[in-house]
């Protein structure tokens, strides 16, 4: 029978864990698909950052309403509705793929599939008829709006899962079990990002139109800047998972009996919540707390750097080290995230094993975070040089130099080819230089077909003789990076993994600061305000301004069909590294000023509290009498301190005022420690209950009843 009573609670915890896993998987899959969405819809990094931030916009739109009114409603079913909305939002995000037609990329191979010989370098007379084709606007050019709306709808659906799920667990679980259940939720949640990045890796490796086109006819590879993976596939997979995760919640009861009190009445979930009149004073009191304000400022800056890093880390690995999107997502999923999970677990274990105080926890969090920050500085030295692209990073004679002027793409060797500066169809020569297109390389002939096509008689290649004996021929694709770049990437990943692990060690101690430093009646408000501020000032703007700064390092922009700037094809990797790492280090470095001030303030605050506690402790030979908490609303709290002989007259007076006619002698008063009351700031060491005049109060039945209640809770 006892097992039956606990089954709904166990079912809820399992279902909520699966919901946590699915929403984390969907969120990180969105992060892993940023590059694919950017290329498929020809967007800038700042605009795709805005799309990524739409999740936070939708979440914040309904967060306050759901948190306030959700507790009055059927919470499991409200969570089920949230899972359904997340599933619909993910499906809507991937739906534009089926209305945009086939993905087309600019390449001379595609336009000449039926020709045995391709001559990219045409004279001016031959190409005049091809220079001004009639432009028909792509019907899918604005389909990114549906991705924006789908991601926002997913954010709306996520709103009830966390606050209502945690409150439901806290209502039916014992205090000691509640913390364990929540820890299990957090642990399972960490598996979601891992599988999200792995799913992103798998989908990025598949061609966007897989199943609809012959993949053998595709002339680009996953490392090409024009490659678009099957980004839509992962959204439908995550949609199906979230739809399944919401099914169990439809069959769960509105509320469950408290563990250990199954035969008693169910807890009242429709309790009255404080109105706006009590909210504003509480908010003012919270924000005027120096420790909370400093913690909030530091958290916002750290969260900005974290969101920027998480959103564009895979893209940084692509542009800086020449990795494909698939490989970058795979490495993040199998290396970075598992060590983060281990670090969070060990951080919590350290807190429990050594019983760290708030100050010690804050110091540990600062030490680990600052050590990870110093390791981050090492990443400035782990870099790869810009790939040599004629007219962009080197001149046509091989002289290094960055150029943003499209006129640098033209030289005497290709002046008569009538090439377009907007095209991007890179080819690689044996001298290690990449040319923007076969036309700009001055090639007049070709052999082979499809992805195995080679171009010959390239006049621009002759200007820079190859290091070994070779010919003036080029092959499709950018030139690969050298062995030095591979070693730098290995060093980068080692530093990144170590930094992630050390930083995660301080996550749990850092989170406990807000739990232990805020008064109990303000904890929920403190956590809610922290979430609201971090998402408003970090989750929404960070991807946008990170993307805008990254756009400033672009050297070669793609062009849309009817004009206008598309997605970036090539970045200045040196500038990209300085901007990306510079933003992260500046934001994190600024946060440490607030964190250091917080630690100093905490040490002073707890030193004063320890001194006050020592001063308020009863002197030897004295006792303290106080009315218990249960009667403090009807009777004022009265504290009587002194020797037993001096307390007897006053004790008699107090009991008579309460309606008790029997006198209390000093011999009946015995020292008995009583647990601190939730609404009383200082602990009582001796209690006297004048409410009902029962003599057992003076015989310490208050203490005995507390011990009895504690034993019954354990049993």
């Amino acid at each position: 029978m006892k097992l039956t009573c606990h089954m709904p609670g166990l079912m809820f915890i399992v279902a909520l864990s699966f919901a946590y896993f699915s929403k984390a998987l969907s969120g990180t899959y969105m992060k892993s698909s940023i590059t694919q969405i950017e290329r498929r819809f020809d967007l800038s990094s700042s605009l795709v950052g805005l799309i990524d931030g739409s999740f936070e916009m939708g979440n914040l739109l309904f967060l306050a309403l759901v948190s306030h009114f959700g507790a009055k409603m059927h919470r499991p079913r409200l969570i089920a509705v949230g899972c359904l909305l997340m599933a619909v939002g993910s499906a809507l995000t991937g739906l534009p793929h089926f209305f945009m037609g086939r993905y087309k990329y600019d390449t001379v191979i595609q336009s000449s599939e039926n020709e045995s010989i391709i001559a990219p370098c045409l004279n001016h007379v031959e190409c005049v008829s091809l220079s001004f084709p009639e432009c028909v606007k792509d019907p899918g050019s604005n389909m990114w709006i549906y991705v924006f709306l789908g991601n926002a709808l997913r954010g709306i659906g996520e709103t009830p899962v966390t606050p209502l799920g945690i409150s439901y667990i806290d209502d039916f679980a014992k205090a000691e079990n509640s913390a364990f259940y929540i820890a299990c939720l957090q642990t399972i949640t960490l598996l979601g990002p891992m599988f999200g990045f792995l799913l992103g890796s798998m989908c990025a490796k598949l061609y966007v139109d897989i199943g609809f086109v012959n993949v053998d006819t595709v002339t680009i590879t996953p490392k090409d800047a024009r490659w678009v993976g099957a980004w839509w596939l992962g959204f439908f997979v995550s949609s199906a998972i979230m739809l399944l995760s919401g099914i169990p919640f439809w069959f769960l009861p509105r509320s469950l009996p408290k563990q250990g009190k199954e035969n008693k009445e169910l807890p009242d979930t429709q309790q009255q919540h404080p109105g706006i009149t009590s909210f504003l004073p509480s908010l003012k009191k919270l924000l005027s707390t120096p420790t909370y304000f400093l913690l909030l400022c530091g958290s916002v800056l750290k969260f900005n750097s974290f969101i920027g890093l998480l959103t564009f880390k895979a893209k940084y690995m692509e542009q800086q080290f020449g990795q494909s999107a698939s490989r970058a997502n795979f490495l993040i999923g199998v290396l970075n995230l598992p060590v983060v999970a281990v670090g969070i677990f060990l951080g919590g274990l350290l807190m429990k094993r050594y019983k760290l105080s708030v100050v010690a926890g804050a110091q540990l969090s600062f030490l680990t975070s600052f050590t990870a920050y110093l390791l981050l500085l090492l990443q400035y030295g782990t870099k790869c040089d810009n790939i040599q692209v004629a007219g962009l990073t080197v001149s046509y004679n091989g002289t290094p130099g960055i150029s943003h002027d499209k006129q640098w793409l033209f030289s005497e060797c290709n002046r008569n080819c009538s090439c377009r500066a907007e095209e991007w169809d890179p080819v690689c020569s044996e001298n290690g230089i990449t040319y923007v297109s076969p036309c700009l390389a001055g090639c007049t002939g070709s052999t082979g077909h499809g992805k195995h096509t080679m171009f010959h008689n390239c006049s621009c290649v002759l200007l820079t003789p190859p290091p070994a004996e070779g010919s003036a021929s080029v092959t499709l694709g950018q030139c690969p990076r050298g062995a030095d770049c591979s070693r730098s990437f290995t060093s980068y990943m080692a530093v990144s993994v170590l930094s992630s692990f050390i930083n995660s060690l301080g996550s749990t101690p850092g989170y406990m600061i807000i739990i232990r430093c805020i008064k109990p009646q303000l904890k929920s408000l403190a956590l809610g305000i922290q979430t609201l501020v971090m998402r408003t000032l970090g989750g929404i703007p960070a991807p946008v301004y990170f993307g805008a700064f990254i756009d400033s390092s672009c050297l070669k922009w793609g062009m849309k069909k009817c004009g206008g700037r598309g997605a970036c094809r090539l970045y200045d990797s040196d500038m990209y590294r300085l901007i990306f790492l510079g933003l992260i280090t500046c934001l994190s470095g600024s946060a440490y000023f607030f964190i250091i001030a917080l630690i100093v303030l905490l040490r002073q605050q707890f030193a004063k509290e320890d001194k006050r506690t020592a001063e308020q402790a009863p002197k030897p030979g004295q006792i303290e009498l106080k009315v218990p908490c249960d009667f403090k609303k009807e009777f004022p709290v009265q504290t009587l301190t002194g020797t037993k002989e001096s307390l007897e007259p006053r004790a008699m007076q107090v009991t008579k005022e309460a309606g008790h006619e029997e006198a209390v002698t000093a011999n009946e008063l015995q020292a008995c420690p009583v647990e601190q009351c939730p609404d009383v700031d200082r602990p009582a060491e001796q209690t006297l209950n004048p409410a009902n005049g029962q003599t057992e109060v003076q015989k310490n039945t208050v203490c005995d009843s507390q011990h009895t209640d504690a034993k019954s809770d354990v049993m």
Side-chain angles (χ1 to χ4, degrees), residues 4-5 103 194 208 210 222 250 270 305 394 427 486 522 527 542 641:
T4 305
C5 294
Y103 174 57
M194 189 186 310
V208 60
I210 186 171
W250 295 104
Q270 303 187 37
S305 65
V394 295
V427 290
S486 298
L522 295 177
L527 292 172
T641 305

Side-chain angles (χ1 to χ4, degrees), residues 408-463:
W408 276 47
L409 293 173
F410 301 100
S411 178
E412 291 297 328
C413 61
N414 58 26
R415 188 71 65 182
N416 297 324
C417 294
S418 300
C419 307
R420 293 188 305 117
E422 293 80 12
E423 62 187 2
W424 177 260
D425 191 12
V427 290
C428 177
S429 65
E430 293 185 7
N431 56 23
I433 295 180
T434 299
Y435 297 88
V436 172
S437 68
C439 181
L440 289 171
C443 303
T444 58
S446 67
T447 57
H449 63 279
K451 63 180 65 176
H452 303 292
T453 302
M454 289 189 64
F455 298 92
H456 307 290
N457 302 323
C458 304
S459 58
C460 293
V461 179
L462 298 175
L463 296 179

Side-chain angles (χ1 to χ4, degrees), residues 625 639-643 646-655 688:
L625 303 179
T639 302
L640 309 177
T641 305
T643 63
S646 63
L647 283 177
E648 184 172 355
R650 284 180 286 173
M652 293 173 59
Q653 181 181 358
V654 170
T655 53
L688 176 64

Side-chain angles (χ1 to χ4, degrees), residues 296-447:
L296 191 63
C297 292
S299 299
V300 167
L301 292 172
K302 291 287 289 184
F303 192 67
N304 271 264
S305 65
F306 171 74
I307 290 296
L309 174 64
L310 183 64
T311 304
F312 295 104
K313 181 179 178 66
K315 184 173 182 177
Y316 176 76
M317 294 165 65
E318 295 174 45
Q319 298 298 326
Q320 184 67 38
F321 302 102
Q323 302 296 314
S324 65
S326 174
R327 180 171 171 78
N329 289 326
F330 177 79
L331 292 176
I332 294 174
V334 300
L335 294 180
N336 287 89
L337 294 179
V339 300
V340 169
V342 174
I344 292 175
F345 174 77
L346 292 180
L349 197 62
L350 286 175
M351 288 286 292
K352 181 179 180 181
R353 173 66 177 82
Y354 296 101
K355 297 180 175 59
L356 299 180
S357 63
V358 176
V359 177
Q363 291 173 339
L364 175 62
S365 180
F366 170 75
L367 180 63
T368 56
S369 179
F370 191 71
T371 303
Y373 178 77
L374 295 179
L375 289 174
L376 177 65
L377 299 179
L378 296 178
Q379 295 183 9
Y380 280 97
T382 55
K383 63 185 182 68
C384 293
D385 296 329
N386 278 310
I387 62 171
Q388 294 182 318
V389 181
L392 293 176
T393 59
V394 295
S395 64
Y396 276 86
N397 60 11
T399 304
I402 302 297
S403 172
H404 294 268
D405 187 358
K406 64 173 61 178
Q407 295 302 320
W408 276 47
L409 293 173
F410 301 100
S411 178
E412 291 297 328
C413 61
N414 58 26
R415 188 71 65 182
N416 297 324
C417 294
S418 300
C419 307
R420 293 188 305 117
E422 293 80 12
E423 62 187 2
W424 177 260
D425 191 12
V427 290
C428 177
S429 65
E430 293 185 7
N431 56 23
I433 295 180
T434 299
Y435 297 88
V436 172
S437 68
C439 181
L440 289 171
C443 303
T444 58
S446 67
T447 57

Side-chain angles (χ1 to χ4, degrees), residues 8-9 11-13 15-16 19 70-84 157 160-161 163-169 171-172 245-256 269:
M11 182 180 176
F12 180 84
I13 293 170
L16 189 64
K72 303 178 181 180
M73 304 171 66
H74 197 299
R75 287 176 289 181
R77 291 183 183 175
L78 199 59
I79 295 174
V81 172
C83 291
L84 179 62
V161 177
L164 301 188
I166 296 299
S167 64
Y168 193 88
I169 290 177
D171 281 349
F172 81 83
S245 69
I247 294 177
F249 294 103
W250 295 104
F251 305 98
L252 288 167
R254 184 187 187 98
S255 58
L256 293 173
T269 59

